[in-house]
Amino acid sequence: MHFSIPETEVRSGENGSTYVAYNIHVNGVLHCRLRYSQLLGLHEQIKKEYGSNVVPAFPPKKIFTLTPAEVEQRREQLEKYMQAVRQDPLLGASEMFNSFLRKAQQETQQIPTEEVSLDICLSNGQKVTVNILTSDQTEDVLDAVATKLDLPDDLVGYFSLFLVREGVDGGLTFVRKLQEFELPYVSITSLRSSEFHILLRKSYWDMAYDGDVMDNRVGLNLLYAQTVSDIERGWILVNKDQHRQLKSLQEKGSKKEFIHLGQTLKYYGYIKFDPCVTDFPEKGCQVIVSAGNNELNFHVKLPNEQIKEGSFKVTRMRCWRVTSSQVPIANGTTNPCSASKCDVKLELAFEYLMSKDRLQWVTITSQQAIMMSICLQSMVDELMVKKSGGSIKKMLRKRHNGSIHRSDSQQAVKSPPLLDSPDPNREQIVKLSTKLSSVSLRGISASNSANDISGNDFHGNYAFEGIGDDDL
């Protein structure tokens, strides 16, 4: 996850006095507004719990009222502090930190704790309505959905809740995976738009795990609905003969066979992103990016209108980062950015082993850059489990059975796997193999239209200096 404090606000207190509020953004979206004193309180709690040696440096108190320059300096220091806490595997995953963010989100949006109904969308367009509290965290909502669907406990971790936006043409844009530090009801309500929905979708990449899910009736139906939806959206490529076979299986109600055939199709299990811009192989190229099968797939439109396709394997990425910057909205003025006059520009850049001893940075400019980063991180985490000889099923069951629900305690809760923090065993993995061939772009006949999408440096989720193709 990517934390930033792009702006501050002067707000009025209860007694009429004013104070500076720091707007905490998570993944480019406002999460909460906090005073310096609130963040100082969090710092003192963390220091008391984990010791001064673990906690990053916190900007000091000032005796006198801060000047604008000092406010800006403090903003930058607090931003670095929040990023450092989140990136620390101990502090960032702590219930103390996550519960602080959940409470701050609820207070910022001024939503009281009360019972409400929340709609969760399934891949086939159906909705599951669950009764929850506005203060329920992501795992509570996921559990409620699983209970409503009668999905077994040991399969809950195979699925996650995603925030998505549905376009007027029915197109689906993945915004992010809902995290442990946010309240789904508050997150969706604060957007104040009917375009946004919460979607239940599988959270793993390796189709080998499909077998675990298909052994259960509910799991089979969810996976079948997702496969049908991805085919209908054109995310999975199907020729006429395959389409005829799929239709026949669908008419027979042969869901397992339908999925098995789907697994053989190109881009099965991939997430497709909105058209965006890349600097590979040339600057300013329009591209459609898809994530799946441990790679980012590019459909690039070159300046000469030629369409080419290529893939970048996560096992050959040395690292990646996400950066954001505020860009003035084109309104004919040259005024500095303000909260109402600026867009946030997001970029994902990864350093890739093109050939032996030759690394190159590739940049994608996209409003879904953070979601792309989350996908890369989840692929890495999944590969780490496989590399270490661990069982993802055992890991999921352990996380689920070890969870503590809101009625019992506010201690650490389970978290669906694969799109979360780096695996603690990552440091044990060997260095990146140099026995890798270069990426190749091959021409294709299909044509894809792409719209051009027109800093502060987020410290992104870094890939391991990882595992080579021959390790898999």
Side-chain angles (χ1 to χ4, degrees):
M1 291 297 99
H2 305 270
F3 283 69
S4 66
I5 306 179
E7 67 223 0
T8 61
E9 293 182 27
V10 177
R11 302 180 69 86
S12 299
E14 295 180 356
N15 57 359
S17 62
T18 60
Y19 65 91
V20 175
Y22 296 87
N23 292 347
I24 312 294
H25 286 232
V26 181
N27 291 352
V29 178
L30 176 67
H31 182 81
C32 59
R33 296 185 184 91
L34 293 170
R35 303 176 67 160
Y36 171 84
S37 58
Q38 291 173 291
L39 290 167
L40 177 60
L42 170 66
H43 173 71
E44 294 296 338
Q45 290 182 43
I46 294 176
K47 188 166 65 174
K48 182 179 179 180
E49 178 72 21
Y50 297 100
S52 301
N53 295 332
V54 178
V55 183
F58 192 83
K61 291 182 180 179
K62 299 285 186 178
I63 298 177
F64 302 105
T65 302
L66 273 63
T67 65
E70 289 173 327
V71 170
E72 174 61 18
Q73 182 184 44
R74 177 174 281 182
R75 181 198 66 78
E76 293 176 353
Q77 292 171 336
L78 289 173
E79 181 177 74
K80 291 178 180 178
Y81 175 82
M82 293 296 288
Q83 291 170 349
V85 171
R86 177 57 186 174
Q87 288 170 7
D88 186 281
L90 180 64
L91 304 180
S94 68
E95 180 61 15
M96 179 184 296
F97 182 61
N98 289 324
S99 62
F100 174 84
L101 290 173
R102 291 194 294 267
K103 182 179 179 182
Q105 182 191 26
Q106 187 175 8
E107 290 178 349
T108 297
Q109 299 299 333
Q110 298 181 333
I111 295 179
T113 298
E114 58 186 359
E115 291 186 358
V116 292
S117 296
L118 180 64
D119 289 336
I120 306 297
C121 296
L122 304 181
S123 295
N124 60 1
Q126 293 182 341
K127 293 182 179 179
V128 177
T129 302
V130 293
N131 297 318
I132 60 167
L133 295 177
T134 54
S135 58
D136 277 348
Q137 59 195 17
T138 301
E139 294 314 313
D140 295 326
V141 177
L142 182 61
D143 280 338
V145 175
T147 299
K148 191 72 175 284
L149 292 173
D150 200 24
L151 183 69
D153 287 351
D154 62 347
L155 292 183
V156 174
Y158 284 84
F159 295 88
S160 291
L161 299 176
F162 294 86
L163 180 65
V164 300
R165 184 177 72 247
E166 187 173 3
V168 292
D169 59 350
L172 205 61
T173 297
F174 276 74
V175 180
R176 70 178 186 271
K177 177 207 165 190
L178 296 183
Q179 298 291 320
E180 67 275 14
F181 53 74
E182 64 183 312
L183 310 176
Y185 179 84
V186 177
S187 294
I188 193 74
T189 303
S190 64
L191 294 170
R192 296 177 176 84
S193 173
S194 59
E195 292 180 344
F196 293 93
H197 310 287
I198 298 177
L199 175 72
L200 181 71
R201 184 180 173 93
K202 73 176 186 179
S203 60
Y204 58 89
W205 300 98
D206 191 339
M207 70 177 69
Y209 301 125
D210 287 348
D212 296 338
V213 177
M214 289 192 293
D215 285 341
N216 172 263
R217 175 185 56 84
V218 177
L220 173 63
N221 288 336
L222 290 173
L223 192 57
Y224 172 75
Q226 179 177 316
T227 306
V228 171
S229 173
D230 287 356
I231 291 173
E232 291 177 346
R233 294 183 185 279
W235 289 14
I236 299 175
L237 297 187
V238 181
N239 61 35
K240 290 183 179 180
D241 184 56
Q242 292 164 340
H243 184 271
R244 184 170 56 253
Q245 296 178 56
L246 290 168
K247 185 177 180 180
S248 175
L249 293 171
Q250 200 168 17
E251 292 173 348
K252 296 177 182 177
S254 304
K255 297 179 180 179
K256 279 191 177 182
E257 290 76 8
F258 185 97
I259 295 172
H260 286 316
L261 178 55
Q263 291 173 334
T264 68
L265 303 178
K266 193 170 185 179
Y267 305 131
Y268 172 83
Y270 282 63
I271 289 178
K272 189 175 183 179
F273 298 98
D274 293 344
C276 53
V277 177
T278 182
D279 64 357
F280 185 88
E282 302 176 40
K283 287 186 177 180
C285 288
Q286 297 176 348
V287 62
I288 295 179
V289 180
S290 299
N293 193 29
N294 300 321
E295 68 181 21
L296 289 182
N297 179 270
F298 278 29
H299 275 74
V300 181
K301 185 177 182 180
L302 301 178
N304 63 4
E305 301 298 314
Q306 184 181 5
I307 303 296
K308 290 193 174 183
E309 179 188 3
S311 294
F312 297 90
K313 291 290 186 181
V314 70
T315 52
R316 294 161 60 184
M317 295 180 187
R318 192 184 72 84
C319 63
W320 70 85
R321 62 171 180 253
V322 175
T323 58
S324 75
S325 58
Q326 289 191 324
V327 181
I329 296 175
N331 55 7
T333 69
T334 57
N335 292 335
C337 285
S338 66
S340 61
K341 297 180 181 179
C342 280
D343 281 335
V344 175
K345 177 183 177 182
L346 294 173
E347 290 185 340
L348 170 71
F350 55 88
E351 192 174 22
Y352 196 77
L353 186 65
M354 295 291 180
S355 60
K356 185 177 181 180
D357 301 325
R358 188 172 76 89
L359 289 162
Q360 178 179 334
W361 282 96
V362 177
T363 301
I364 305 167
T365 302
S366 168
Q367 291 306 106
Q368 293 175 284
I370 293 171
M371 184 63 195
M372 294 178 191
S373 175
I374 293 172
C375 290
L376 291 176
Q377 188 64 59
S378 66
M379 293 174 191
V380 170
D381 293 341
E382 195 169 314
L383 286 170
M384 290 303 97
V385 175
K386 185 175 182 180
K387 176 67 179 179
S388 62
S391 167
I392 189 173
K393 188 171 184 178
K394 290 181 180 179
M395 179 182 70
L396 300 181
R397 185 181 294 115
K398 180 179 180 181
R399 288 186 178 181
H400 183 74
N401 292 341
S403 65
I404 300 176
H405 296 277
R406 68 168 187 266
S407 58
D408 301 321
S409 172
Q410 290 197 353
Q411 298 178 25
V413 297
K414 73 179 189 306
S415 180
L418 313 181
L419 294 178
D420 294 320
S421 300
D423 189 278
N425 294 322
R426 180 171 303 164
E427 295 180 358
Q428 303 172 13
I429 305 305
V430 297
K431 295 293 183 178
L432 183 63
S433 170
T434 58
K435 301 177 181 178
L436 303 173
S437 57
S438 62
V439 63
S440 61
L441 289 174
R442 56 190 183 279
I444 56 176
S445 57
S447 176
N448 292 291
S449 61
N451 298 320
D452 196 348
I453 301 179
S454 316
N456 295 326
D457 192 2
F458 280 117
H459 295 280
N461 292 325
Y462 285 91
F464 55 96
E465 290 188 357
I467 45 186
D469 292 346
D470 51 351
D471 291 323
L472 303 183

